[in-house]
Amino acid sequence: MTISRLAMALMILVVMAEPVLAQEDSNTKVVRFALVAGNNRGGDDMVELKYAERDATKVASVLRRLGRVRRSNMRVLLNGDPDDFINSLKRLETRIERIKNRKPNVETMLLVYYSGHSKNGSLMMNGSPLPLRKIKSFFASSKADVRIGILDSCRAGEITRLKGGQIAPSFLNVENDLNASGQVLITSSAGDEDSQESDELGGSFFTHYFVSGLRGAADRSGDGAVTLVEAYNYTYNNTVLKTSGTRGGTQHPEYKFDLKGRGNLVLTRVNAERSRLRFAAPVSGDYLVYNLKKGVVVAEVIKQEGEVRDIALAPGNYVIKKRRSHDVLLGKVTVSKNEIKEINDEQLKSTSYEDDYTKGAVMVKINGLKVELGTGMGLQGFFESPIRDDLFLTIPILFLNVDLHNFITKNLSLALDVSLGGRDGSVRVTEDTDVPIEYGEMGLGVGVNYTLGWDWFRIYIGGRLALVYIWRKFKGMEFRNWTPQDFTTVSPGLIAGMQAVFNRHWKLKLEGRVHYLYYNVDGDKSLGYGEGLFAFGYVF
Amino acid sequence: MRIKPFFFTVMPLTILLFQGCGDPFSNDLLREDARFLSAAPDAQVLQVKLPEQGTIAMNKTRQPLVLSDDGGRTGDDQFNDCAGSASNGGRALWYCFTDNFTHDVNQGVLGFLDLVDKVLEYPPSARANNRRIWGPWPGEEKDATDFRFEMERCEPGTEQAEDWCKEPPNGCKLGNDRVFYAYALEVRSKQKRNLSSDQGWVKAMQGLSVPFEGTRYGCGNLDFDVDRVASEDPTEKGKGSLLVQYDTRPPQADQSIGEYVKIDIVFNQFLPGDADEGTEPVDAQYNYLLENDRSGQFAYETRADLDENNPLRSAKEKLEIVTRWNTFGAGRGDVRISKGDLKDMVAYSHECWNQDFGRVYYEDTFGFQPKEGDEALCEFESWTF
């Protein structure tokens, strides 16, 4: 931490110590609004983030549970566009104006949180920029009494990663002239720094400590209310501390503050949640609280002996981890409804680093889940002759597919498809007699694909299991009344394909499939067939 | 998604959902059915086909004869019409007679094969190794019996369900596989539906066949016993039995070679169900030969009281008719009447016709019609009798 940044942190403490913002006493009604946005994908030339959308979800959750932001007054925007962002802001502003018009004495607070890429003075959302001046302009014209902007905009690495592909000026540097009344702007890093994500924390350093602070870890006063100043200080100190040894370099959050006499602004109240973990006065150190079922780090408490910290949590099972120099202490606790569970080191068990079962527990399991709907056509044919001539005919097929990208892990997709095909043909039954038939096939497929490549072109390979239903009806004079024949089997196969990605939504695919089919009616036969497909895909 | 439950519950259930809708997906099954079908007697193949007026026989495709409705007229009426027509420049008498007679055979005598064709329009109701069963089939509402058609492939050295496989059909040359087929059209009174599906059936027709190279043509014989039908169907008016021996070969696809059809029928006290009231059962022999150059020959021999209107001459004469025709339809008919009331006398009739079936020569020895034309114009110079 540099001297100048320490001075900056001290300055904010001095300013906030004054009653610049109205204390929320019982006579003052404050209605809170929030727009929480997260974008893993910045653009084609940017590394896709792992945790930005998840961070947004965490912030939204804590604001709702502890920050008294009603669900109706909150917009959560994941993987949205700039237009979505601005439209969401406008909708919230409409609600704010409506309240101000109806109840002039009511104070309103608008909190805007964004996690994702930024570049050249713009937030980058799905390849589209949202100039920060637009947000500035919006803040300037907003009727909300207090506007808080929190921008966690950065990159990634080995265990930590840089958010975004390029170093970009931070928001605050762009907004140096910000002096509107009742505004707070906080960024996760300085203008010449990258912000970082951590696989161990399952999120960005900044948001992790910000959320932990809001849950109570930042409540230095111990009054059960986490103010903006407390949250910022906790976030600043721990972000700087924990990023000092990372490849991305030390990350320094920054702020721009102008609240003009409105006193300490309370962001969350820990006692809004009656279920809590209490880290009692005697314990000290760095404690991580995991919800392993959800695969998230709920909070991190860094405390000194003599302080008491309450962390507000939903009832449930948690794992507490305390890092020590030679080992970790681990313990499982259950927090019941309305229970305040006290934590001390005696409850935790010494465990070697190798046996730390929380390692990897918060790695992203659903990273950038994208649903793709596709349709196309192709040709199916069996390799063996004469099988393909008079038993399983070569046919055109139409199909629909739903791909769940990144469903299993990043780049590993679950693919579901249904196909239908058929044509008229004939079966030779005697040396000079062909029986006309109507031949059809329906397939239901499920597969797993691994995709690699670039944003504009990708190849993928995978396995597919198909439920195949084949039938044929007889036509012509002699066999026209014959009972149709059918055959059902499960057919495993391999697929490979390539995609040309036109834009965020549309892509063109060429796919080849090779399948094995076991046929056991006219003797036991191991058959193979291939499918060549051409498809369009739309990603939601 | 939990993969394990998906595989062990959803997939089998889905497969079951699709199963059982149809027959097994099998070419072998289809081809085996086709082999049985090819061995079944075919009414179309066994139809007697004569040259038709205004066409060159060689170029004709295989079509059943299109003949005018006889409007319930008796055989005598039709014969008299033929006689009157021939003497007035119409169709020759014996060609006309042959045409009418073969029409009756096609429609009335071999008509029961249409029933077989109808049954075989449907897939077998039971399949076993070397065996197929079609039906039971209720026929029409007015029918008093159910029908069933049963076939068995007879292979040397194979254990067979019935003894009908002991001997191959007489006069038929077996292929290298030595395989022939036995079949039966069975009837059972609808009153017996309470019996098990295999009980109570009576073989109305049974036969043996050797199909020709997987086509509906081939060689075989069949025995149609009307009396057996009558035992299950009290409304049956027909009597007697037929023994049919046939040998047929398909035409070339380009019609450069026509089909070959040889049919011999023996009538034993046979009376068709639609015969006129008072008609006597017939003992007769019928031979039909169609060569693959479209020339042919028809022969008919029976004992009948030709002068049935005269009660004083009631003995049955022997009637022999032989007609022949060449590729283009021009032909000759020779008739011999002997025995019966003629005693030691023999009467003859000879007639020739051109390819338009117009009479070019006629002469008889009993003054039925006056002599016409010149025998030198006959395509066939030699007399059969």
Side-chain angles (χ1 to χ4, degrees):
Chain A
M1 187 185 299
T2 64
I3 298 293
S4 61
R5 296 188 195 290
L6 263 176
M8 202 179 294
L10 287 171
M11 189 175 70
I12 193 172
L13 281 174
V14 171
V15 171
M16 303 292 275
E18 297 292 324
V20 290
L21 182 67
Q23 288 282 3
E24 290 179 40
D25 56 39
S26 55
N27 297 325
T28 309
K29 169 80 173 172
V30 178
V31 181
R32 295 153 189 263
F33 298 84
L35 168 61
V36 180
N39 273 65
N40 284 346
R41 187 172 178 274
D44 291 346
D45 59 343
M46 294 175 163
V47 175
E48 192 158 317
L49 299 173
K50 292 175 73 174
Y51 302 109
E53 291 168 18
R54 194 187 222 192
D55 281 345
T57 307
K58 285 182 189 174
V59 170
S61 174
V62 77
L63 289 177
R64 206 153 39 219
R65 296 184 76 92
L66 306 176
R68 288 180 290 172
V69 180
R70 287 183 183 174
R71 197 175 289 270
S72 59
N73 290 342
M74 179 180 284
R75 296 283 182 275
V76 179
L77 194 62
L78 302 179
N79 196 30
D81 288 331
D83 287 347
D84 300 330
F85 191 93
I86 294 297
N87 290 336
S88 297
L89 276 178
K90 286 178 178 172
R91 278 197 285 273
L92 288 175
E93 185 64 18
T94 303
R95 293 179 71 89
I96 290 168
E97 287 176 4
R98 199 178 298 148
I99 283 181
K100 297 295 285 183
N101 291 337
R102 277 209 307 255
K103 302 176 180 173
N105 293 330
V106 168
E107 292 207 337
T108 54
M109 185 196 88
L110 171 63
L111 188 149
V112 177
Y113 169 92
Y114 170 77
S115 178
H117 282 282
S118 65
K119 179 183 172 184
N120 299 332
S122 295
L123 304 182
M124 297 302 295
M125 300 177 170
N126 275 315
S128 301
L130 173 60
L132 292 170
R133 58 182 161 73
K134 275 198 172 181
I135 300 176
K136 173 192 167 188
S137 167
F138 182 87
F139 265 41
S141 62
S142 172
K143 295 288 190 298
D145 297 301
V146 178
R147 287 88 65 197
I148 303 172
I150 301 171
L151 304 177
D152 184 359
S153 179
C154 331
R155 314 144 207 212
E158 193 174 50
I159 293 179
T160 63
R161 64 185 41 75
L162 303 180
K163 273 186 163 183
Q166 298 175 17
I167 295 174
S170 79
F171 179 68
L172 285 180
N173 283 358
V174 175
E175 306 297 328
N176 270 342
D177 60 345
L178 181 66
N179 58 5
S181 172
Q183 284 190 178
V184 177
L185 292 171
I186 297 174
T187 60
S188 60
S189 56
D192 55 352
E193 294 171 353
D194 298 324
S195 295
Q196 302 166 48
E197 289 185 327
S198 164
D199 280 334
E200 184 189 10
L201 300 176
S204 77
F205 285 101
F206 175 84
T207 297
H208 167 72
Y209 289 112
F210 182 63
V211 170
S212 295
L214 294 182
R215 285 192 177 280
D219 182 21
R220 290 199 67 169
S221 65
D223 62 357
V226 179
T227 65
L228 179 64
V229 172
E230 286 175 326
Y232 177 79
N233 282 339
Y234 184 83
T235 306
Y236 179 89
N237 290 333
N238 289 301
T239 302
V240 169
L241 183 68
K242 291 300 170 93
T243 57
S244 60
T246 62
R247 200 185 69 175
T250 305
Q251 177 184 332
H252 300 87
E254 290 191 346
Y255 71 94
K256 196 76 177 179
F257 181 92
D258 183 6
L259 292 177
K260 292 194 175 170
R262 288 176 182 251
N264 272 333
L265 175 63
V266 175
L267 291 183
T268 57
R269 290 191 181 278
V270 180
N271 55 13
E273 185 75 73
R274 293 177 185 272
S275 304
R276 279 175 253 166
L277 287 178
R278 174 162 292 167
F279 294 85
V283 301
S284 64
D286 183 351
Y287 294 87
L288 282 162
V289 183
Y290 291 86
N291 183 333
L292 292 186
K293 191 175 178 184
K294 292 184 177 176
V296 294
V297 179
V298 178
E300 183 170 354
V301 180
I302 301 165
K303 75 177 285 290
Q304 295 174 352
E305 193 173 337
E307 300 172 339
V308 176
R309 287 281 186 282
D310 278 2
I311 302 297
L313 300 167
N317 298 316
Y318 297 91
V319 171
I320 313 296
K321 179 165 91 174
K322 178 182 182 182
R323 285 182 173 278
R324 297 196 299 194
S325 58
H326 56 287
D327 65 355
V328 294
L329 294 178
L330 285 172
K332 295 179 180 176
V333 296
T334 300
V335 181
S336 305
K337 191 175 182 182
N338 300 330
E339 181 188 15
I340 298 177
K341 190 85 167 186
E342 190 161 310
I343 302 298
N344 56 56
D345 289 356
E346 285 68 41
Q347 294 170 281
L348 311 179
K349 185 179 173 185
S350 174
T351 308
S352 68
Y353 278 105
E354 290 72 27
D355 296 332
D356 178 1
Y357 53 79
T358 64
K359 278 194 297 190
V362 296
M363 294 285 282
V364 161
K365 289 196 171 60
I366 301 174
N367 182 7
L369 177 67
K370 292 176 183 169
V371 179
E372 177 186 331
L373 189 64
T375 184
M377 62 181 70
L379 209 60
Q380 181 197 77
F382 278 71
F383 301 133
E384 295 84 359
S385 179
I387 292 288
R388 63 167 174 260
D389 301 320
D390 65 1
L391 189 64
F392 297 114
L393 305 185
T394 300
I395 53 169
I397 55 176
L398 297 172
F399 73 94
L400 288 172
N401 69 284
V402 177
D403 289 357
L404 304 176
H405 296 296
N406 306 322
F407 182 76
I408 299 162
T409 65
K410 185 172 173 60
N411 295 331
L412 209 52
S413 307
L414 182 70
L416 308 168
D417 65 85
V418 55
S419 60
L420 188 66
R423 69 175 175 89
D424 288 346
S426 65
V427 180
R428 173 141 294 196
V429 293
T430 66
E431 283 182 11
D432 60 354
T433 306
D434 291 328
V435 175
I437 60 168
E438 183 184 301
Y439 177 92
E441 191 224 83
M442 191 174 79
L444 296 172
V446 56
V448 176
N449 302 337
Y450 182 76
T451 307
L452 63 159
W454 302 270
D455 284 337
W456 59 276
F457 181 79
R458 295 168 197 158
I459 59 173
Y460 58 95
I461 55 173
R464 179 174 178 264
L465 197 65
L467 173 67
V468 180
Y469 175 64
I470 298 171
W471 72 92
R472 59 182 180 184
K473 295 176 181 173
F474 301 101
K475 304 193 293 186
M477 281 303 292
E478 282 193 325
F479 289 85
R480 67 185 185 281
N481 293 321
W482 249 239
T483 309
Q485 296 181 342
D486 57 33
F487 180 68
T488 307
T489 190
V490 174
S491 166
L494 298 172
I495 67 172
M498 60 182 83
Q499 307 173 347
V501 183
F502 298 134
N503 55 41
R504 180 185 159 210
H505 293 300
W506 289 100
K507 61 172 69 169
L508 179 69
K509 293 200 292 188
L510 287 175
E511 183 173 304
R513 299 173 181 167
V514 179
H515 268 262
Y516 168 82
L517 186 142
Y518 176 64
Y519 172 77
N520 61 348
V521 182
D522 291 345
D524 290 343
K525 294 184 176 75
S526 287
L527 306 174
Y529 66 91
E531 292 176 344
L533 306 167
F534 169 84
F536 282 101
Y538 182 87
V539 181
F540 290 93
Chain B
M1 178 180 294
R2 293 163 63 197
I3 301 296
K4 194 172 176 183
F6 177 78
F7 270 98
F8 290 98
T9 57
V10 178
M11 290 296 276
L13 285 174
T14 312
I15 291 173
L16 281 175
L17 189 69
F18 284 102
Q19 293 286 22
C21 302
D23 277 346
F25 198 84
S26 168
N27 279 349
D28 287 354
L29 183 142
L30 205 61
R31 288 170 180 151
E32 184 75 335
D33 285 350
R35 287 187 199 102
F36 278 92
L37 286 178
S38 72
D42 185 351
Q44 292 295 313
V45 171
L46 294 181
Q47 281 213 340
V48 173
K49 291 160 279 272
L50 296 183
E52 291 176 50
Q53 194 162 20
T55 62
I56 297 175
M58 197 65 186
N59 290 337
K60 284 189 303 182
T61 56
R62 181 167 66 87
Q63 294 290 336
L65 272 177
V66 179
L67 298 172
S68 60
D69 186 356
D70 60 19
R73 292 154 61 81
T74 65
D76 285 348
D77 293 337
Q78 291 181 47
F79 181 79
N80 290 332
D81 285 349
C82 285
S85 167
S87 57
N88 290 302
R91 294 192 302 171
L93 168 63
W94 296 119
Y95 174 81
C96 180
F97 173 82
T98 304
D99 192 356
N100 285 347
F101 190 85
T102 53
H103 169 68
D104 288 346
V105 171
N106 287 343
Q107 300 298 314
V109 178
L110 295 177
F112 64 92
L113 292 178
D114 289 338
L115 186 61
V116 176
D117 275 356
K118 281 185 180 169
V119 173
L120 295 181
E121 283 177 5
Y122 296 88
S125 52
R127 295 181 174 100
N129 188 30
N130 284 337
R131 199 171 182 85
R132 292 288 186 276
I133 295 175
W134 282 260
W137 191 58
E140 296 176 18
E141 195 172 342
K142 64 181 176 59
D143 293 328
T145 60
D146 293 325
F147 303 92
R148 191 172 82 157
F149 191 69
E150 190 175 2
M151 294 189 77
E152 182 163 6
R153 180 171 44 226
C154 304
E155 297 179 359
T158 307
E159 187 175 336
Q160 307 291 347
E162 296 193 35
D163 59 4
W164 56 2
C165 282
K166 282 182 178 170
E167 293 293 333
N170 281 331
C172 295
K173 183 182 175 185
L174 298 179
N176 292 334
D177 55 4
R178 310 287 300 163
V179 166
F180 63 97
Y181 291 81
Y183 56 83
L185 177 67
E186 299 169 314
V187 295
R188 185 176 72 175
S189 169
K190 289 180 178 173
Q191 306 291 331
K192 295 181 180 176
R193 285 180 173 172
N194 56 335
L195 298 177
S196 74
S197 61
D198 280 334
Q199 288 184 325
W201 293 97
V202 171
K203 288 184 170 59
M205 180 197 73
Q206 58 183 328
L208 301 171
S209 75
V210 181
F212 180 78
E213 295 179 353
T215 66
R216 295 298 297 269
Y217 293 83
C219 179
N221 58 51
L222 62 92
D223 175 7
F224 178 49
D225 193 328
V226 186
D227 294 335
R228 288 186 182 174
V229 177
S231 71
E232 293 296 305
D233 180 4
T235 66
E236 175 60 54
K237 293 176 182 172
K239 291 179 181 174
S241 65
L242 294 174
L243 180 61
V244 181
Q245 179 84 35
Y246 61 88
D247 191 4
T248 60
R249 296 284 183 275
Q252 290 279 359
D254 61 1
Q255 296 293 318
S256 60
I257 297 178
E259 64 181 334
Y260 171 84
V261 179
K262 183 174 185 298
I263 303 172
D264 300 320
I265 304 177
V266 176
F267 300 81
N268 292 314
Q269 284 297 295
F270 182 77
L271 181 68
D274 59 353
D276 298 329
E277 195 70 33
T279 305
E280 290 287 320
V282 174
D283 286 309
Q285 173 114 11
Y286 167 106
N287 306 98
Y288 168 78
L289 173 66
L290 178 67
E291 298 283 4
N292 52 25
D293 66 352
R294 298 284 182 186
S295 66
Q297 179 173 308
F298 163 81
Y300 179 67
E301 177 185 326
T302 186
R303 295 295 293 261
D305 179 12
L306 297 177
D307 191 12
E308 61 186 0
N309 294 327
N310 188 341
L312 297 177
R313 293 185 297 200
S314 59
K316 291 182 175 176
E317 289 77 28
K318 181 180 181 183
L319 171 66
E320 297 166 272
I321 302 172
V322 175
T323 57
R324 294 169 283 168
W325 57 92
N326 68 10
T327 299
F328 303 101
R332 174 183 188 109
D334 297 306
V335 176
R336 179 169 63 188
I337 304 170
S338 60
K339 302 185 179 173
D341 291 323
L342 290 178
K343 299 189 176 163
D344 294 333
M345 293 173 61
V346 178
Y348 297 96
S349 173
H350 306 287
E351 185 182 40
C352 295
W353 56 87
N354 58 22
Q355 64 184 49
D356 294 324
F357 315 113
R359 179 183 278 178
V360 295
Y361 162 71
Y362 179 83
E363 185 174 10
D364 66 48
T365 61
F366 49 92
F368 176 63
Q369 288 194 325
K371 181 179 177 183
E372 274 187 61
D374 182 355
E375 193 172 8
L377 297 173
C378 292
E379 287 289 332
F380 298 86
E381 294 180 4
S382 64
W383 297 4
T384 305
F385 309 112

